[in-house]
Each structure stands twice: as C-alpha cells, then as structure tokens.
Amino acid sequence: MRNRFMLLTAVSLLSLEGAATAQSNRGGSTSASPTADAASPVPAEAASTDIVPATGSTPTSVAPQATTDEIVVTGYRQSLRTAIAGKRNADRVQEVLSAEDIGKLPEASIAESLARLPGLTTNRDRGNGTQIGIRGLGPNLVSTLLNGREIVSAEGSRNVRYEQYPAELINGASVFKSPTAAQVEGAIAGQIDLRTIRPLDVSGTKIVLNARAIYSDLAGDVQDSKPWGYIASASYIGQFLDNTLGIAVGYSGRRQSVATVRTNVFRYTNSFADLNGDGQTNDQIPYGFEALSRGGDDIRHGALAALQWRPSSVFEVNGDFFYSRVKFDETQRGVRVENLPFGNTLTNATVQNGYVTGITATNANQPYGQVVRGVNELFFFKDDLYAGGLNAKWSPEGWEIVGDVGYSKTHREQQFLTLRTEPFGIAPTTSFQTRPGKVPTIGVNVDLTDPTLNRIADFQIPTNGGGAPLINDELWSGSFDARREIGQGPLAALRFGGRYTDRSKDYTQRTQFGFVDPAARAPVPANLLNTPYSFSGAFAGLPSVQSIDILAAVNQLFGQINPTTSEFDRQASWKVGEKTYAGYAQVDLDGNIFGMPFTGNLGLRVIRTETLSQGTQVNQVQQPNGAIVTTATPLSVANEFTDWLPNLNLTFKATDKLQFRLGASQAVSRPPLDDLSAGVSIFTSGPPSGQGGNPLLEPFRAKQLDATVEWYFDRDSALTVSGFYKKLGTYIVPQLTTIFAPNPAGGPDLEGTFRQPVNGQGGEIKGVEVLFQKAFTFLPGVLNGFGVYLNYSYTDSNITVDENDNAIGTIQLPGLSKHVGNATLYYSKAGFEARVAYRYRSSYATELGDTDRILYTAPEGVMDFQTSYDFGKDSKLAGLKLLFQANNLTDEPFETYYGDRSLQGRYEKFGRRFLIGAGFEF
C-alpha cells in the first residue's frame, strides 16, 4: 500500500442517508414519522423539531407540507434535529444520539460519540474511548441496554466496554438521566440504551457498502505494530409482503493498530532516609519506574440480524440478534526498574514537598537492592458476545400489551505473559527525572540490548498483571408491560408490568511461572532475537532494549505455555448468581395546571434481588515449628434485598417553544459482580494480611432531583439548562481493617490488615448542564451551512474515598471531573460536510492496575476533524459518498499524577489516527 489507499468493501447501517433524510422548510415543520416508543431514539425521518410534545411516551408525527421554499437537510445537521426531537418529546430527562451522528462518520468508538453529550465522559484506553461515566459517576453506576434489554459484560464487574458494539451496526442511542417506573432499574448515574435498526422504519430496500482505510501515525515508530488497517461493513434492509415483513442484516469488520508508548513512575513509599539534606528522614520515593512500547492488532467483527413483522396495525413482532468478537493481540517491550527504595546508594535526589521526582540509584546490596529488567510481554484478550431477543406488541383499542424475552452471553479468554531479562554479573546504576507534561528522562548505565549481558531470568503469567482469567457471563430476561389509555382529566394512561432476570457470572483465575537459576543463565540465543527496539519521537533518548521472540523463547527455555488454577488462584476465582424480580405501576399524565399544559408520569417500581456467591477461602498459616500449611475451603454465601423506587417526571409547556421539566426519584445500582466474590485469602507466614470480596454488599442507593429549562427557538436550535442533585445513602469503597494472628515465635499476636469492599459513607452530588446548538440559517448564501453544537457540565460532590495505601489520605469521588465541555463547529450544505469537534475533561481521580494505588488523571482535551461529500441524486455518481476523518489531531497525551501535579505517574502517547474511504448506497 505504498503511496496509495486500498479501499476494502464495507457497509454501515448508520450511513443510510436515504433512511435518515427529512424534508424541511423555513416556514414550518415538514417531517413525518411512524409511531415510536420513547425508550428509543426518534427515527431520523421524524427529525423536525417543530413537533408538539406528545402525551406520555409516544412522539407525535407531523404530516409533510408542500412548499415552494423547500430544502433538504441531511447528515450531521439532520442528526442534531433528530436529537432535538428526541430530547424535546421525551417523558423524562434524556439525551439522544441519532444514527447519523454515530454512523455517518463513525468515531473510533461509540463511547467517544456518547461523550459529546452533556454530562457524559469517557476514558481513553489505547487511544479509544471504552467506558462511560455520567454526571460525575463512574461506569459502575451506569447501566447499558441493547434494544431495551440489560446485557452482559466481559469485564469482571458489570461495566460495558463500548468497542464491543460496532458503530456501523447501531442505529441510535438514548441516555436516560432521570428514571421512570417502567424503566429497567440499575442506574444511578444514568442509563444508555443502544438501538439496532428496525427494518420497517426504513423507507424502501437499501444495500449500503462502506470502505475505510485507517492509518496510525505512531504505529510506524512501534516495532510490533502495522500502520495501516481498515473498516469494512455491509448491510441489507428489505421489506416484503406489502411492507408487513422487514428484514435487516449487517456485518462490520475492523482491524486497526494498537500503538502506544508510555512511561510509568510506580507508587510512592517511605524511604526512611533524608535524601535532600533537610533533616527529615521520611522522604517518599517511588518503588520504581518503567518505559514501555506497546504494539499489536485491535480486531473486531460484528454481525446483526433483525426481523420485523407487522401484519396489522394492532400487532407487531420484532426479533433481533447481535454478535460481536473483539480481539486484542499486543506485544510490549521496554525496561522496568523495581525495588528502588531499599538496598541502594541514592544520590542526586530532586525532592518536592517530601516526594522524590528524580534520583540516581546504584545497587549496593545485591540481591536485595534495585532490579533492572528488560521486559518482553504478550497480552491478549478475546471476547465473544451473543445477544438477542423476541418482542411482541399487541395494541387492541385503548391498550398496548408488550411481551419480551432476551438472552445474552459473553466469554472472555485473556492472558498477560511477561518474559524478563536481568543484567548478568553487574549492578547497574539508574536514574530518572520526571517532567510534568513531558516525557521523563530515564537512564541506565549498561547496554540493555546486549544479549550476552542481559540474560533471560524468568517468565510469568502473574495475577498482579491480570493473569490468564476465563470469564463467562450469561443473562436471561423476560418482561411483560401493559398500557391502558384513560384520557380522563390529567390521567392519560395507566401502565403496569413485571420483569424477571437470571444472571450467572464466573471468573476463573489461572497463572504460570518459570525461573532460571542465576548460575544457569546464559546469553540469549541469536535465533530468539529480533532487531533491538529503540524509542523515537517524543520518547527518543529512553534506553534501547532487547526485542525477543517471546513465544519461541518460552517454549525453548521453559516448555509449553499452560496456565492453571493454583491453590492461591482459587481465592481470586468466583461465581455469582443473581436473580431479580421487578414489578411496577405507572400513571401517565396529560393535563393543565393554572392554564399551563403539562405531561408526565408518576410511578413505583419494586425490585427484589437474590444473590448466591461462591468462592474459596485460602489460609496460609505458619506453624510454631516454622512449617507453612495452606488450606483451601469452599464458601457459599447468599444475600437478598428489596428496593422500593418511587419516581415522578413532569414537563410543563409554557409556550410552543419553552418548556420546563421536574423529576424526583429513588434509584439503585447493584454492586459490581467481582466485589460480590466470596473468595478470601489470609496469610500469617509473616505479618498477617488478607483480602477478599464481600458477598453481603448492599447496592448503591440514591435519592435524586432534576430540573431543566428547555428553549427550542427554531428547528435547528435549542438552549437547555439542567440542574441535578443526588443524595447517595452509601458508596462502595475498599476498606482496610486490622487483623491479628498468633506469633509462631511466641509473644504478642502479630498485627496485620485485611482489605475488602464495604458499603461506605455516601454523600451528595450536584451539578448543572448547559446545551446550546444553532444552525446559522440567518447567514447569507453559502455561509448558512455553518452551525455550532456546544455543551458544558459542572459537577461537585462531597463524597470522598480514603486512599489507604499511601499518604494522600482522602480523595475526591473517583471518576468525577468538575468541568466537562464539548464544542463542535460544523458546515453542512449541498452534500458537503465538515466539522471540527473538541472535548475537554478536567482532572479526576482514577485507579490504574499498574500502580496499585489511586492516581489522578490530568486534564485533557481531544480534537477531531471529519469531512465528507455525498454526490447528489442528479449526479452520475449518485449514491457515492467520500469521507475523511482525523482523530486526536493534537496528539493529546494521557497523563496521571499522585495527588500533586508535580508527581507524575503515567505519561502516554497514542498518536493520531486517520480514516479515508468511500461508501455506496444502492
């Protein structure tokens, strides 16, 4: 592919411009829409915002009107109209992401598209958005649905990774910020409902092909990464039997590079030394530091099938099936320095507020001083997700009765393997100096590329690196909902229904270790060596390292890779079964108060949750004679709780353009499933220590208030201001408690600590969200294609978490960024579109596994650019669309720090990613 692009065939269900095209004019609304449920995004055909909000949850359609001043609005501007319609006509506080917004020019991840909505944030993993936070609360308090059904997760918790869902196969998304009684419970922060296509909602038969080449500008600097990749997708939508039967099928495939380069400074600990000569002998020093380059492949395949049968106006059946496979294969190479605080001669220290930010160290007490390791590591995980269901709706006069059954299952196979070398016969001197906002300097006084000096010491598949877990998650659900129209006074309708779920999740940890005795270590054979890896670009100057054929080296020196579940892995292995029984009653409201029209709903949802957690207690006890005895005892713990969740949503329509919303509710989010593990480990061979899950955890519970003012001052424009308040009764946090064990040598008992999640103290979360969007239709000529989309969120909380591991103490609520903003400037006219989008997130507390303590993520702003040209119907190239996209234009780094911004943790670069391609619609 030298100097040319190879376009690969593909299809996007979200690029159905024909399905998303609406007619509009400057004089009034002209869009038409089939009846749609408010739980799903408003179809793109119903995109005009000059729609009178409907009673209850069903948006009202407006018939097209002929006009001599008619213009056609499509693309991104159309998607904003659709979002306005969905937000305006919702029966609760809600945001809408339309099909055009996700699918026409897809982001690297659906999470990044969602993160452009008010109050939503995403993290960046390998440069892509993966999980979503809402209103300052992290993914643990966000619930994700697919077509209205709860879905499983391959993470140990309940958190959904959004790269599992190809943007090309998702037709829209709604974000519910205030609940209704009819809504599936489990979301204090908010609920995201991803929706796939319904074929009878599309006009005519569609066949769409898309192709995009992907280029990563950092991948060329990473040894194990290929710069070029692709997105390929295909879809078909057709209607049969006089438009009573609809079928949709789609496929999406993607391969893109994984290419990141980073440095890490490990957790701080007390050096018990005066390193800067100020007379204080408690200077904090990092446990170590590292520099790593990671390259590989991110591969995803997704498939969708949907069947819709509507034999009459009163009966409809929908069936859908979704499959996705996500696979990461990564190789990581670099240098890692450990055990810096003890057994070393320390000089040239830079100390800020008692913390070392730079130092030179020489091992003065082998083998107990610092260890310098070259690392060659493999990481992979493979997720397979199956999800589907069948939904039937019967609508006899005055009634709407819906039955739904759903099933989803996922399986993950994961493995982290590290092959480590150590310098032979020499005690290296190392140095580091951090520079906030920049790559730190790192030095080692030996050649880490010399195979005779740097010899293979061991390989590990360790628990603290993730191990090699197998994860299975399976969920059955069934629900029944009925709505009876009343139409008397303010009582518009009565809703009632129930829901049952049966979920089972298991996590099986596996590990493996192999060591070479120091006296037996030999030079690395030439047949196992690749070209040494040298850091470049912003990371040039970091030490070059050996590059080893990892699998061949392990097989040659240690034998077959075969991780197993050891006695100690049994504590980290668990199975949790969860059954829920929910029932609700809800009244839909539609009336007048003091001459002002209003709509809304008042309801109560009751949920009973039953859990059964299974695990193993592993005890390692030192006997008086010095012998260590390990025992493993199976455990099984049951728990149950019932929650009563009242809620009220009201929308007051002051004028045809101005409305107010009020919401009051109680909500729950169930504990993360891995926190419910019954597994426990207790070690008394030395200072006693232990850790475990807590199968008796109660859910997060909150009382919530919402208030919004919404002004829709023309079809393309809105100004909304929302305030919210949440009072959490409890927040699940890790806790250290003191434990004691007999002293095998006699004397007083030994004191230690036990760590587990507990229901800690709750608190308040409050904030405000502002949204403004405007198409500049008032400008003359070609300039009236410009428009803006802006939002800003401020969130504050008095909930704190104790950082038990080190000296920071109490920190703010993890995941909460006080300031979140998005700004998009777009142009859309005559088939040409362009937009520049910027999203900002202020600092927030996070927790990363490579440091075993809580850090803060530095503020970050990411800028993207997208453009396309759609040939018109009168062109010889009608149906063809060309597109270009550039992500992370400024190559924004990902940086963490230890409480104080001067104490750098991770500094990582992902590079820029460019997409270019074409689509064709038949």
Side-chain angles (χ1 to χ4, degrees):
M1 290 187 288
R2 296 174 183 172
N3 301 321
R4 60 196 179 104
F5 295 108
M6 180 177 293
L7 299 181
L8 303 174
T9 302
V11 173
S12 169
L13 281 171
L14 298 181
S15 294
L16 300 176
E17 294 88 348
T21 300
Q23 300 287 327
S24 63
N25 63 72
R26 294 190 178 98
S29 92
T30 63
S31 63
S33 164
T35 299
D37 188 269
S40 63
V42 176
E45 292 95 336
S48 170
T49 61
D50 289 346
I51 299 175
V52 178
T55 298
S57 63
T58 304
T60 301
S61 62
V62 180
Q65 301 174 12
T67 176
T68 58
D69 189 26
E70 187 176 49
I71 62 172
V72 176
V73 176
T74 60
Y76 183 67
R77 181 174 165 187
Q78 174 64 59
S79 76
L80 295 181
R81 285 190 175 185
T82 304
I84 286 179
K87 184 180 179 77
R88 182 177 186 177
N89 292 287
D91 61 349
R92 70 203 91 178
V93 180
Q94 177 178 330
E95 309 292 344
V96 173
L97 191 62
S98 77
E100 289 282 335
D101 195 19
I102 300 176
K104 194 159 193 177
L105 290 174
E107 310 276 5
S109 163
I110 291 176
E112 294 170 15
S113 291
L114 289 167
R116 300 197 189 284
L117 299 176
L120 274 68
T121 58
T122 184
N123 61 337
R124 289 199 295 160
D125 179 22
R126 301 167 176 87
N128 298 330
T130 56
Q131 298 184 17
I132 290 292
I134 301 177
R135 290 181 161 178
L137 293 169
N140 280 338
L141 300 180
V142 175
S143 170
T144 303
L145 311 178
L146 180 63
N147 291 324
R149 305 181 193 101
E150 188 178 1
I151 48 177
V152 293
S153 165
E155 299 292 292
S157 60
R158 302 176 192 267
N159 300 354
V160 168
R161 292 181 65 101
Y162 283 85
E163 69 259 48
Q164 188 86 49
Y165 302 92
E168 299 80 26
L169 301 181
I170 299 298
N171 193 50
S174 292
V175 181
F176 306 127
K177 294 180 174 178
S178 66
T180 66
Q183 180 180 325
V184 175
E185 73 285 345
I188 287 178
Q191 188 172 79
I192 299 171
D193 189 7
L194 305 175
R195 290 278 170 165
T196 57
I197 196 76
R198 287 191 170 181
L200 292 183
D201 292 344
V202 175
S203 175
T205 299
K206 306 290 180 183
I207 300 175
V208 184
L209 306 176
N210 269 335
R212 297 173 182 85
I214 309 173
Y215 176 78
S216 168
D217 70 349
L218 183 61
D221 295 335
V222 175
Q223 187 177 65
D224 301 282
S225 189
K226 301 174 183 177
W228 288 98
Y230 68 89
I231 297 177
S233 56
S235 68
Y236 166 82
I237 301 175
Q239 299 82 28
F240 306 92
L241 304 178
D242 294 327
N243 288 325
T244 62
L245 178 67
I247 296 175
V249 292
Y251 163 78
S252 173
R254 183 189 73 187
R255 191 206 72 80
Q256 65 182 11
S257 63
V258 173
T260 79
V261 184
R262 73 178 188 270
T263 59
N264 276 317
V265 175
F266 299 148
R267 58 184 289 270
Y268 278 84
T269 189
N270 197 330
S271 69
F272 299 100
D274 179 10
L275 300 176
N276 62 347
D278 65 356
Q280 302 297 317
T281 58
N282 59 351
D283 292 331
Q284 300 284 315
I285 186 171
Y287 177 75
F289 53 89
E290 66 184 2
L292 300 168
S293 171
R294 175 171 55 183
D297 288 326
D298 167 5
I299 300 172
R300 184 187 64 199
H301 298 281
L304 165 73
L307 177 70
Q308 186 176 13
W309 182 44
R310 189 187 295 152
S312 70
S313 61
V314 299
F315 185 68
E316 179 177 326
V317 176
N318 283 277
D320 58 87
F321 172 77
F322 180 87
Y323 169 74
S324 176
R325 165 174 283 191
V326 173
K327 184 179 180 181
F328 282 83
D329 280 303
E330 301 172 349
T331 304
Q332 189 163 256
R333 308 191 191 275
V335 58
R336 183 173 296 133
V337 178
E338 300 175 275
N339 203 26
L340 194 62
F342 310 111
N344 302 300
T345 300
L346 303 174
T347 59
N348 303 321
T350 302
V351 181
Q352 299 187 43
N353 299 321
Y355 287 80
V356 172
T357 58
I359 205 162
T360 299
T362 302
N363 189 319
N365 189 22
Q366 286 186 304
Y368 303 108
Q370 74 173 350
V371 180
V372 178
R373 293 188 171 102
V375 293
N376 288 262
E377 299 173 329
L378 295 176
F379 174 79
F380 78 83
F381 73 79
K382 180 179 67 176
D383 292 348
D384 287 290
L385 170 70
Y386 306 85
L390 187 66
N391 177 284
K393 180 171 68 174
W394 181 40
S395 305
E397 184 175 357
W399 284 88
E400 182 178 276
I401 300 172
V402 180
D404 186 276
V405 293
Y407 174 76
S408 61
K409 180 179 181 179
T410 188
H411 170 74
R412 170 178 287 186
E413 184 177 353
Q414 178 178 311
Q415 179 178 288
F416 169 77
L417 183 154
T418 177
L419 178 71
R420 307 191 299 185
T421 64
E422 296 179 14
F424 184 77
I426 188 173
T429 294
T430 66
S431 64
F432 84 95
Q433 180 67 58
T434 58
R435 302 179 297 170
K438 298 180 180 179
V439 180
T441 59
I442 292 176
V444 181
N445 72 335
V446 297
D447 182 3
L448 298 178
T449 68
D450 185 347
T452 63
L453 177 63
N454 300 275
R455 302 184 180 185
I456 295 174
D458 61 57
F459 98 94
Q460 299 185 21
I461 302 176
T463 297
N464 62 3
L470 300 174
I471 305 174
N472 296 286
D473 196 359
E474 185 176 38
L475 173 66
W476 290 91
S477 67
S479 64
F480 167 82
D481 299 89
R483 182 177 188 269
R484 172 61 179 175
E485 294 181 1
I486 301 175
Q488 297 180 359
L491 303 181
L494 172 66
R495 294 174 180 259
F496 57 91
R499 178 173 175 264
Y500 168 77
T501 69
D502 187 354
R503 185 171 192 170
S504 177
K505 187 160 194 168
D506 59 80
Y507 183 103
T508 304
Q509 182 61 281
R510 303 177 301 161
T511 56
Q512 188 177 358
F513 302 89
F515 301 92
V516 179
D517 187 89
R521 294 173 187 172
V524 182
N527 68 309
L528 300 179
L529 292 172
N530 305 316
T531 303
Y533 175 72
S534 296
F535 292 89
S536 58
F539 295 83
L542 296 178
S544 298
V545 295
Q546 279 188 104
S547 174
I548 298 175
D549 185 335
I550 301 171
L551 293 177
V554 172
N555 286 328
Q556 182 173 320
L557 299 178
F558 302 98
Q560 185 178 2
I561 297 174
N562 183 31
T564 59
T565 300
S566 70
E567 227 171 19
F568 297 109
D569 294 327
R570 292 178 64 185
Q571 179 273 323
S573 302
W574 50 266
K575 181 177 182 179
V576 174
E578 179 181 81
K579 294 182 179 181
T580 68
Y581 309 83
Y584 75 91
Q586 175 179 309
V587 177
D588 292 343
L589 306 173
D590 188 356
N592 286 269
I593 184 170
F594 303 118
M596 181 183 296
F598 76 93
T599 59
N601 51 77
L602 171 66
L604 174 68
R605 189 175 186 91
V606 182
I607 311 102
R608 179 178 177 84
T609 303
E610 299 175 353
T611 61
L612 179 64
S613 180
Q614 301 174 63
T616 303
Q617 178 169 332
V618 178
N619 288 356
Q620 188 182 75
V621 180
Q622 186 172 0
Q623 304 299 311
N625 62 1
I628 297 176
V629 176
T630 302
T631 60
T633 305
L635 296 175
S636 182
V637 182
N639 192 25
E640 58 186 42
F641 45 84
T642 300
D643 288 282
W644 298 71
L645 306 178
N647 57 71
L648 170 68
N649 291 281
L650 294 174
T651 302
F652 299 93
K653 303 170 182 64
T655 71
D656 61 349
K657 296 183 178 181
L658 179 66
Q659 64 186 35
F660 306 89
R661 294 186 194 271
L662 293 175
S665 61
Q666 290 187 197
V668 297
S669 288
R670 297 186 183 90
L673 289 166
D674 48 355
D675 282 352
L676 293 175
S677 166
V680 176
S681 62
I682 298 177
F683 302 95
T684 60
S685 54
S689 64
Q691 62 180 354
N694 187 350
L696 298 178
L697 283 172
E698 293 284 310
F700 302 87
R701 294 187 172 99
K703 298 178 180 178
Q704 308 180 131
L705 295 173
D706 287 273
T708 71
V709 180
E710 302 172 0
W711 181 30
Y712 301 96
F713 46 96
D714 64 45
R715 293 192 303 271
D716 298 288
S717 307
L719 173 64
T720 67
V721 180
S722 303
F724 62 90
Y725 172 85
K726 298 177 185 289
K727 174 67 173 180
L728 272 70
T730 181
Y731 192 85
I732 297 173
V733 296
Q735 182 184 71
L736 286 179
T737 56
T738 301
I739 60 174
F740 295 92
N743 190 336
D749 288 350
L750 299 176
E751 181 179 332
T753 57
F754 184 81
R755 184 181 182 91
Q756 71 173 162
V758 299
N759 287 104
Q761 184 177 355
E764 300 175 347
I765 300 173
K766 53 191 174 183
V768 62
E769 301 164 348
V770 181
L771 164 69
F772 175 76
Q773 62 185 72
K774 174 68 178 171
F776 298 152
T777 53
F778 56 87
L779 294 177
V782 296
L783 297 179
N784 64 21
F786 280 105
V788 295
Y789 176 85
L790 310 169
N791 64 62
Y792 166 77
S793 302
Y794 173 82
T795 308
D796 196 11
S797 175
N798 65 359
I799 299 176
T800 58
V801 176
D802 288 334
E803 205 278 332
N804 294 301
D805 187 67
N806 259 220
I808 290 179
T810 298
I811 66 165
Q812 68 184 36
L813 181 65
L816 187 149
S817 294
K818 283 194 174 183
H819 306 280
V820 175
N822 288 274
T824 299
L825 173 65
Y826 69 89
Y827 184 86
S828 179
K829 195 174 183 68
F832 175 77
E833 286 196 352
R835 50 181 156 148
V836 177
Y838 178 80
R839 69 177 190 270
Y840 171 81
R841 182 179 187 181
S842 63
S843 62
Y844 61 96
T846 186
E847 188 168 8
L848 298 178
D850 54 12
T851 63
D852 78 357
R853 67 165 288 177
I854 294 176
L855 301 97
Y856 283 79
T857 296
E860 60 182 18
V862 179
M863 181 176 290
D864 300 323
F865 172 75
Q866 304 169 346
T867 187
S868 67
Y869 182 74
D870 198 345
F871 289 88
K873 294 182 179 180
D874 297 331
S875 170
K876 293 182 179 180
L877 298 176
L880 177 66
K881 180 177 66 178
L882 304 177
L883 56 91
F884 173 77
Q885 181 174 341
N887 296 326
N888 194 21
L889 277 173
T890 60
D891 193 13
E892 181 78 355
F894 175 78
E895 186 174 7
T896 64
Y897 58 94
Y898 293 99
D900 185 330
R901 186 66 189 273
S902 65
L903 306 179
Q904 190 180 64
R906 176 188 291 198
Y907 185 88
E908 185 168 18
K909 288 269 193 175
F910 305 116
R912 303 170 184 85
R913 185 174 288 134
F914 303 92
L915 293 85
I916 188 168
F920 194 81
E921 177 184 328
F922 297 88

